[in-house]
Amino acid sequence: MKNIENKEGSETIESLPSSTKLAIELKNITKRFGHVVANSDVNLKVSTGTIHGIVGENGAGKSTLMNILFGLYKPDSGMIFLNGQAVDVNSPEKSIALGIGMVHQHFMLVPTFTVLENAMLGNEGSMFLQSGEEFALDRLRGLSENYGLDVDFEAIISETPVGMQQRVEILKALNRGAKILILDEPTGVLTPQETIGLFDILRSLREQGVTIVLITHKLKEIMSITDTVSVMRGGKVVANFSTEKTSPEELAENMVGRKVLLSIKKPTLKVGNPVLEVKNVSHESKDGVNVLKDISFDLRQGEILGIAGVAGNGQSELLDILSGIETLQRGQITVNDKTILPYQDWNSKKAREFGVAHVPEDRHKRGLVLPFYNYENSILGYHRNEEYSSGFLMDKRKIFNFVDDLVENFDVRPRSSSISSSKLSGGNQQKLVLAREIESNPKILLVGQPTRGVDIGAIERIYEDLMKLKSKGTAILLVSVELDEIMSLSDRIIVMNQGSIVGETNSSDATELDLGKMMSGLEKV
Amino acid sequence: MSDSNIIPKWLSVGLIPLMNLFLAFCVSGLFILFIGENPFRAISVMIKGAFYYPGAIGYTLYYTTNFIFTGLAVALAFHARLFNIGGEGQAYVGGLGVGLVCLVFDQHVVGFLVTILAILGSVIFGAIWGIIPGYLQAKRGSHIVITTIMFNFIAAALMVYLLVNVIIEPGQMSPETRDFASGVGLVQIHILAKYLGLDIAMSPLNLSFIVALTVSVGFWFLVWRTKFGYEARSLGHSETAAIYAGIKVSSTIIIVMAISGGLAGLVAINELLGVHNKLLLGFTAGYGFTGIAVALMGRNHPFGIFLASLLFGALYQGGTELDFEFSSITREMVLLIQGLIILFSGALAYMLNPLVERAYLKYYGNYSSA
């Protein structure tokens, strides 16, 4: 593995026109958590009225840096300059007063409040709510028209789409007088169309002099919207670029520290017989919402079927039912010629017996018992198997033999059986879960968000493993909110919106735009 | 309970508990000073009372036995993230099991067999008193903390009723059953020693102590070596992951509570079969509650629980001595010391962590951005 020398950051920054004023300048910021150095001697310059991207893998220190700028963390050393003046940002209140607004990855909205009430929160404008609301509404209407932030002020937040919630967050920040806007992974929950809409808004904000810092791991977005970009790795800024002078390949290389292959070789393989048939499955959640409506599809040997859709449109529930976590309420499922009917005895244990393995969407909540050691986690769900136990006892020797091979073969780092899984990086945790499920030799593999919060190096490896499994004839059902992933891995794609299947296409015919339309429910195919 | 990731284990499970203990003794010393006694003399009396005087060790270990049982009971439940506050009631009802078996069989069956049956009785009755709250938690969602507390009260009321109205020895004023037949019971260690030709001072220490040690080993085995222990711990750390793994949550909860209750029930064999030789009111004397502190201090590990039990055993025994020796130090003062120890090693168990972490990093913390 070839390490790329840290590029001298100053080089590219010096090349910026000297007349531009700097909105943000961070000098030698260092932040430690215990003996973990989250930010080490970070320098960052962002010119006024530009969009600056920060890319980096998980744990590279992007969020820490932004939290320092927003006053949530206090740096151990270093200085912050805003518009050329040294400032001491010791709390979010202070940072808001200094004109910084932050839109977090997980929105900070009160779900039962209206859009107006949320947007004016923190800047109510008057002691009495009535006059405050009128005052705020005026100003917010102005902001909303000015920047194309289209919202319905009367609507209750929990009933509005995520795209609008995000616009409310931006409005809220502007309403408090933000001149610098930090957006943390803003597109994770958006459809491609909503993303385009967001970018239009960001451009119009830029035109009016707002400085924007965009944190993302999607290189495509960096390329399309930013003016300048910084790459972080291992707590340091390792490179600065002017966006038009760089390429996604170069950014990825800097993020990982070595060359990465972002393309996937898909094995050409004739698909076999259906091994999973889902017929008319409907499901009602505990709150009485119809989360799945009449879902039917089948999945064949050696096939990867991708399920595209914005998060929260029934994909998770579908996975839960197929993997036996949830009870089947209506419809029927046939797994390897065995039919499961509603309210029949169907659980995760049985699913595994039928040859269904499951890489869950949330590895922290489901896939792993975090405090457990690797050797304990690598048999989770399979701990009853003869291979790892004798009678009611667990056979530690057999488990260790198995796990030592597992971490070796699937490149789980560090290669240790007796380290707590909570100490692994996201990518390695995911590799461990995937390894466990693949090693059970499944007929069907259900995969949810295989690369969420996973670094590029590990993504490469995970894709490789999935392809290997496919060529062995395993049928794979892939649920992901990353369209690129769905399009490049799947043979066939179905799109879900509000609990229904709204479209199906071969991946070779699919375009991002078509899928995006289906995802937003605009178009039925 | 979150153990620190920063400092090594010998600090977090070795040094810090000792520092907590030291702090507790310091504060206790201040109180003793406050009432005009010499704290150093007090502590020496305590230590002598717990370990030095004839029979002292026997007494200490006899108390230790009770704490091991209740400590393990709390710890087992805690591994499945169930907070079993009901050790007191489970021990009490375990006593009913012992009492009933002995009263029914001791006239007809050979003593040895009755003793075995009585031990089983204590476990089964204790288990039942754990199963009911377990069932309510698993199937009905009633919070285990609330139900186990309530079951302590129910147990207390039930035992008063039974001992006053039903199984009291006829013609007697105090609420106790008749004595169990001779030949029933667990032999005391000093009597056993005499058979072996050793002469040790008289104390209530009996074979229950051996049972407690055996059960401790079994506990370790159950939790860390069996599939059931694995499932219980999975459940304790993450219910969602347990469901994902196909572990049956409700039956695991019920079984854990059964075993937990059974462990607490074993207090009855130490008290009734080993010492009192009859069933009597209030024999549990708060051991069930102290078990919570013991488990907390022992970090839910049988070895830690043994050490914590020994500490509390010594405190109980040494405390009694303190009470004797000083006219100004009353029973309440001893309770205060115990309370301080529970406060410092239980409730404030992690108080010193940041301090130690900082000190550790200062001396070993030459970390650059590795």
Side-chain angles (χ1 to χ4, degrees), chain A residues 60 123 172 184 211-212 221 268 345 357 406 444:
Chain A
N123 188 2
K172 189 165 82 177
D184 189 2
T211 309
I212 294 165
E221 294 175 356
T268 43
D345 187 23
L406 195 75
I444 301 162

Side-chain angles (χ1 to χ4, degrees), chain A residues 427-442:
Chain A
N428 284 304
Q429 289 175 343
Q430 189 72 328
K431 281 193 265 181
L432 184 68
V433 175
L434 186 66
R436 177 183 73 208
E437 298 306 317
I438 287 179
E439 278 301 297
S440 71
N441 286 321

Side-chain angles (χ1 to χ4, degrees), chain A residues 11-160:
Chain A
E11 196 184 344
T12 40
I13 280 178
E14 296 294 315
S15 68
L16 290 170
S18 53
S19 58
T20 45
K21 277 195 347 203
L22 291 178
I24 307 167
E25 185 176 9
L26 302 179
K27 266 192 187 162
N28 310 98
I29 298 282
T30 297
K31 174 71 187 169
R32 289 193 183 81
F33 294 105
H35 58 243
V36 178
V37 184
N39 283 155
S40 157
D41 209 16
V42 171
N43 289 297
L44 187 76
K45 293 179 182 180
V46 181
S47 308
T48 307
T50 64
I51 300 182
H52 184 86
I54 299 183
V55 287
E57 305 206 298
N58 285 292
K62 300 169 293 190
S63 297
T64 307
L65 191 64
M66 289 306 111
N67 284 331
I68 287 173
L69 184 56
F70 193 57
L72 285 166
Y73 296 149
K74 199 177 151 42
D76 296 334
S77 60
M79 312 238 322
I80 300 174
F81 296 85
L82 292 180
N83 303 315
Q85 296 211 314
V87 290
D88 182 19
V89 190
N90 48 21
S91 70
E93 293 78 40
K94 183 78 184 288
S95 114
I96 289 166
L98 288 166
I100 300 175
M102 186 156 178
V103 176
H104 294 267
Q105 195 173 355
H106 304 285
F107 302 147
M108 310 281 175
L109 297 168
V110 185
T112 52
F113 277 14
T114 63
V115 168
L116 175 63
E117 285 167 325
N118 267 291
M120 61 189 274
L121 200 65
N123 188 2
E124 292 84 359
S126 158
M127 224 181 87
F128 297 102
L129 218 46
Q130 185 65 38
S131 55
E133 269 186 19
E134 281 159 17
F135 176 69
L137 190 58
D138 261 7
R139 192 170 42 181
L140 286 165
R141 279 232 174 85
L143 287 170
S144 152
E145 275 160 30
N146 218 349
Y147 298 109
L149 286 156
D150 183 23
V151 295
D152 171 7
F153 285 105
E154 308 289 307
I156 304 283
I157 280 293
S158 59
E159 292 163 7
T160 59

Side-chain angles (χ1 to χ4, degrees), chain B residues 79-353:
Chain B
H79 277 292
R81 190 152 307 161
L82 294 165
F83 215 166
N84 179 11
I85 314 280
E88 190 77 6
Q90 289 145 13
Y92 213 171
V93 174
L96 182 63
V98 171
L100 289 182
V101 167
C102 292
L103 294 177
V104 171
F105 294 112
D106 68 349
Q107 305 297 324
H108 318 289
V109 185
V110 61
F112 170 72
L113 206 59
V114 175
T115 308
I116 299 288
L117 286 175
I119 294 174
L120 282 177
S122 75
V123 172
I124 291 168
F125 273 63
I128 290 171
W129 221 243
I131 285 174
I132 304 170
Y135 173 86
L136 291 172
Q137 168 79 66
K139 302 282 190 189
R140 292 284 176 272
S142 317
H143 202 287
I144 199 103
V145 169
I146 309 292
T147 46
T148 47
I149 290 175
M150 288 164 116
F151 266 67
N152 288 336
F153 288 107
I154 299 174
L158 177 72
M159 294 300 278
V160 169
Y161 171 76
L162 290 176
L163 277 168
V164 171
N165 299 301
V166 185
I167 48 179
I168 189 171
E169 182 174 14
Q172 235 229 147
M173 293 301 283
S174 64
E176 300 171 350
T177 65
R178 64 171 169 80
D179 284 354
F180 305 150
S182 60
V184 171
L186 290 165
V187 65
Q188 295 187 338
I189 299 293
H190 67 97
I191 296 171
L192 203 64
K194 207 177 278 168
Y195 283 120
L196 298 172
L198 297 168
D199 189 26
I200 53 179
M202 212 182 98
S203 79
L205 181 66
N206 59 79
L207 283 181
S208 306
F209 181 63
I210 310 294
V211 177
L213 295 183
T214 318
V215 168
S216 296
V217 176
F219 178 100
W220 176 82
F221 214 75
L222 176 73
V223 171
W224 282 283
R225 282 292 176 273
T226 66
K227 287 187 218 174
F228 177 74
Y230 178 84
E231 297 195 342
R233 283 185 298 127
S234 303
L235 175 63
H237 287 303
S238 167
E239 187 173 334
T240 44
I243 294 170
Y244 162 80
I247 293 164
K248 289 212 173 77
V249 173
S250 49
S251 59
T252 308
I253 288 178
I254 294 170
I255 296 171
V256 164
M257 280 307 292
I259 302 174
S260 177
L263 285 167
L266 281 169
V267 167
I269 70 168
N270 190 36
E271 288 295 322
L272 306 185
L273 293 176
V275 181
H276 297 295
N277 213 33
K278 61 187 159 201
L279 176 56
L280 68 169
L281 210 59
F283 71 88
T284 47
Y287 299 122
F289 294 119
T290 313
I292 300 167
V294 168
L296 208 62
M297 217 181 152
R299 305 280 166 111
N300 301 309
H301 190 283
F303 186 65
I305 287 171
F306 173 76
L307 292 180
S309 300
L310 195 61
L311 172 72
F312 276 94
L315 273 175
Y316 261 56
Q317 174 52 20
T320 332
E321 212 62 43
L322 215 55
D323 195 6
F324 272 134
E325 200 89 353
F326 297 84
S327 58
S328 52
I329 298 181
T330 58
R331 178 94 200 108
E332 284 66 38
M333 197 66 198
V334 177
L335 281 176
L336 176 87
I337 296 173
Q338 286 169 6
L340 283 169
I341 287 181
I342 295 176
L343 182 71
F344 277 93
S345 4
L348 303 178
Y350 297 99
M351 183 180 67
L352 291 175
N353 276 31

